Amino acid sequence: MSIAFNEFTNGEITVTFAPRKCIYAENCAKGLSNVFRMTVIPWINLEGSNSKEIIKQIRKCPSGALDFCRLDQN
């Protein structure tokens, strides 16, 4: 089974989300509700917080459905 990814960027980081892998979306919504919004599509809004806080929350993802990469600012 392939896992479809959603990708979001804010110019500093790119966040990928694998919805079929996610089993704890509620954790993200509770941890950083301005970014991870359960009732709005798209549910990830990277303008809702700074990159440092978003990365901190992504690292707490227990299923591995969220990942990020920093964009090179050269």
Side-chain angles (χ1 to χ4, degrees), residues 11-46:
E12 294 179 5
I13 61 173
T14 295
V15 174
T16 55
F17 170 61
R20 293 184 185 157
K21 196 174 182 182
C22 179
I23 56 174
Y24 297 107
E26 192 173 311
N27 287 354
C28 293
K30 286 181 181 177
L32 202 54
S33 62
N34 289 335
V35 175
F36 303 102
R37 307 165 302 165
M38 297 291 292
T39 60
V40 180
I41 295 174
W43 85 284
I44 296 177
N45 173 27
L46 296 183

